[in-house]
Amino acid sequence: MSNDFASMLQQAAASENGRTRTRLRAGQVVTGTVVQIGQDYVFVDVGTTTEGRIDRRELEEEGGSAGVKVGDSIRASVVSADDVEGPRLSVSLGRGGRARLEDGALESARDARLPVEGVVGAVVKNGVGVEVKVMGARAFCPASQLGQDYIADLASLEGQKLEFLVLEVKNGGRDVIVSRKALLQERQSQAAKQTLATLEVGKDYSAKVVSLQKYGAFVDLGGVEGLIHISELAHGRVERVEDVLQVGEEITVRLLALQPGEKGGPPKLRLSLRALADSPVAAAEPERGEVLVGTVSKVTSFGVFVDTAKGTGLVPTRELGTQRGVDARRSFPIGKEVSVVLVSKDASRGLTFSMSRVAAVEERRNYHEFARAMQGKSDEDAGIGSFGALLQKELKLPAPTRSAAAPVAASAPTAPAAAPATSAVSSAVSSAVSSAATSAAPVSAAPARAPAPARAPAPKPAAQVKPA
């Protein structure tokens, strides 16, 4: 019983108002709840026996309002954990216009990696950096530490209020070096952790293009950078990344893979633009020798790229059908409609087209179609002959029968045909011949053989005279 009572006393001593004792350390980032707003401080419950306190001027907005209310959640850094009045917290030292920093505040901010707010002053001689005033203290920020990217015009920052991290404090606070780049990188790292926790392979995400390289484009997905390889920019062949993307462009990408970084570094993200679009060649693959109609999409020094319904391909310069020295950019402007024929297709090089061979391919196709049509007509008229069929059609004669005809006496005189009948037959024959000549393929007639000349009778031998 006594042991139970003793444990209850220990629990009561270790907790107050439902809070358990939590030990904090300088530099630790904590999240708490605002429990009271005083004239000088905002008190926050961070799980310790005594509430943490934040200088109210760090949170004040224009007009003097506190900027927070009781019950709000707030995130801050621990400046000092052993203060008798409770842990000292800060969201950003120097914010709120406080006249001067307290003794040791800069050292505490350095150790805790706590952001400090400062006003950018004059540019140091030769442009090596700028002066920064942090609550009465004079600090120096090198030009290379003013941002993640190079800033050419340092004077454009003069008078701006920015946040920095304290890197060095020497000579009792008289020599202070600060960095904005370190703060931005740290915040980016925190955002990257939050973003990585939500990424899933196969899903689409919004991204911003941050840099272009020969092998692809780097994009930012909210603190995390990923690579879109040049082969993942489009289904067709891409020669330059600049032809597809521009720095600063907002795009949607698909996450293909999330690979762990080397030596504990950040993970590598493989992204794709091509995966978002259906393949233009998925529906039907062009056949070799097939003539396609497309539009010019790009002109290079080695040929012209043409987009067709069955894929994008290259027409090499030698297959353009133009004379040597002709400017292809003028002859084939972007968007021009052209006819091409597929020469070859390769998994690595893609489709290869030709413009110069289109005419020959179409001529062969037309000849084969004509030959097939004539073959079909010959099969239909095989029973009577093509000329006989045309003559029968023109004269409207009945189909011939196979019954034997009566013999005709050789000596019977042939009655002359009537003139009108002869004229009608001649007309029909002429019409039939004309129709046959029109529908049949031109055939070169063999020259008629001239009749052999009549052989003169052999002379009779002279009579021999017998001698008397």
Side-chain angles (χ1 to χ4, degrees):
M1 186 72 174
S2 59
N3 292 336
D4 293 340
F5 182 73
S7 63
M8 291 174 63
L9 288 176
Q10 291 177 358
Q11 291 178 3
S15 62
E16 182 181 356
N17 297 330
R19 294 191 303 270
T20 58
R21 181 181 297 274
T22 302
R23 297 191 61 84
L24 302 178
R25 65 181 187 279
Q28 182 179 350
V29 178
V30 295
T31 301
T33 305
V34 177
V35 295
Q36 184 180 351
I37 300 175
Q39 185 176 356
D40 298 323
Y41 295 97
V42 174
F43 296 92
V44 182
D45 180 9
V46 290
T48 57
T49 56
T50 305
E51 291 91 352
R53 56 193 175 93
I54 303 175
D55 194 309
R56 174 172 174 154
R57 285 168 293 190
E58 292 186 16
L59 302 173
E60 283 183 350
E61 297 178 345
E62 294 183 4
S65 61
V68 293
K69 62 182 183 295
V70 175
D72 284 354
S73 179
I74 190 169
R75 191 169 182 268
S77 298
V78 178
V79 178
S80 175
D82 299 328
D83 199 301
V84 294
E85 297 181 3
R88 286 181 53 210
L89 309 176
S90 177
V91 292
S92 179
L93 283 177
R95 183 181 294 177
R98 187 165 35 172
R100 298 189 64 84
L101 285 173
E102 299 177 0
D103 293 340
L106 286 175
E107 288 82 352
S108 298
R110 176 198 61 196
D111 297 338
R113 297 193 65 81
L114 183 67
V116 296
E117 186 176 77
V119 180
V120 180
V123 178
V124 178
K125 187 177 180 180
N126 296 327
V128 295
V130 295
E131 293 183 357
V132 181
K133 292 182 179 179
V134 182
M135 299 304 296
R138 180 182 174 184
F140 170 73
C141 182
S144 61
Q145 296 296 317
L146 280 169
Q148 291 181 299
D149 299 323
Y150 174 72
I151 301 176
D153 186 11
L154 300 182
S156 62
L157 301 176
E158 187 173 352
Q160 294 187 26
K161 286 185 178 181
L162 302 173
E163 288 186 322
F164 303 86
L165 283 181
V166 180
L167 299 183
E168 294 183 13
V169 181
K170 297 180 180 179
N171 300 326
R174 290 189 297 272
D175 295 332
V176 182
I177 299 178
V178 295
S179 170
R180 176 164 174 77
K181 180 178 181 179
L183 176 62
L184 295 176
Q185 290 178 338
E186 188 169 291
R187 288 179 173 174
Q188 184 179 20
S189 177
Q190 294 173 356
K193 292 180 181 179
Q194 297 177 357
T195 302
L196 285 173
T198 62
L199 294 180
E200 294 183 24
V201 175
K203 288 193 174 182
D204 302 338
Y205 299 93
S206 298
K208 183 178 181 180
V209 181
V210 294
S211 69
L212 302 179
Q213 305 295 331
K214 291 183 178 180
Y215 51 84
F218 285 95
V219 298
D220 179 32
L221 283 77
V224 182
E225 284 192 4
L227 171 66
I228 308 176
H229 193 267
I230 189 171
S231 62
E232 293 293 338
L233 292 176
H235 286 286
R237 188 174 182 177
V238 177
E239 293 296 329
R240 298 193 315 159
V241 180
E242 294 85 349
D243 296 336
V244 181
L245 296 175
Q246 299 296 328
V247 174
E249 185 177 353
E250 300 283 347
I251 59 175
T252 300
V253 296
R254 179 165 296 172
L255 179 60
L256 298 181
L258 187 61
Q259 302 171 342
E262 299 178 357
K263 298 181 180 179
K268 297 181 180 180
L269 277 64
R270 286 182 51 232
L271 307 169
S272 175
L273 274 178
R274 184 179 68 170
L276 299 177
D278 295 332
S279 174
V281 298
E285 288 275 351
E287 298 295 334
R288 187 172 182 178
E290 181 178 357
V291 177
L292 303 169
V293 177
T295 56
V296 176
S297 60
K298 182 181 176 183
V299 181
T300 66
S301 59
F302 51 84
V304 174
F305 285 91
V306 178
D307 293 337
T308 70
K310 295 188 177 182
T312 300
L314 171 68
V315 183
T317 303
R318 65 179 182 276
E319 297 291 345
L320 292 176
T322 57
Q323 296 181 354
R324 179 172 296 182
V326 174
D327 187 1
R329 298 182 186 275
R330 292 186 178 182
S331 302
F332 304 99
I334 303 299
K336 181 178 180 180
E337 186 174 284
V338 294
S339 294
V340 295
V341 61
L342 180 63
V343 177
S344 65
K345 53 183 178 180
D346 185 83
S348 59
R349 300 181 61 183
L351 305 178
T352 301
F353 294 140
S354 172
M355 293 184 189
S356 60
R357 306 188 196 186
V358 172
V361 171
E362 289 183 341
E363 287 178 2
R364 287 197 300 270
R365 183 183 62 187
N366 293 338
Y367 171 77
H368 290 312
E369 290 179 355
F370 172 77
R372 284 194 297 269
M374 292 305 301
Q375 181 65 33
K377 190 172 184 63
S378 299
D379 294 341
E380 293 177 0
D381 299 335
I384 191 172
S386 57
F387 178 75
L390 289 174
L391 183 60
Q392 176 185 348
K393 181 178 179 182
E394 291 295 333
L395 295 178
K396 298 180 181 180
L397 298 176
T401 60
R402 295 186 178 274
S403 57
V408 181
S411 60
T414 304
T422 303
S423 177
V425 171
S426 300
S427 176
V429 171
S430 299
S431 177
V433 171
S434 176
S435 299
T438 303
S439 60
V443 180
S444 56
R449 179 178 297 177
R455 179 179 298 178
K460 294 180 178 182
Q464 295 181 359
V465 180
K466 293 181 179 183

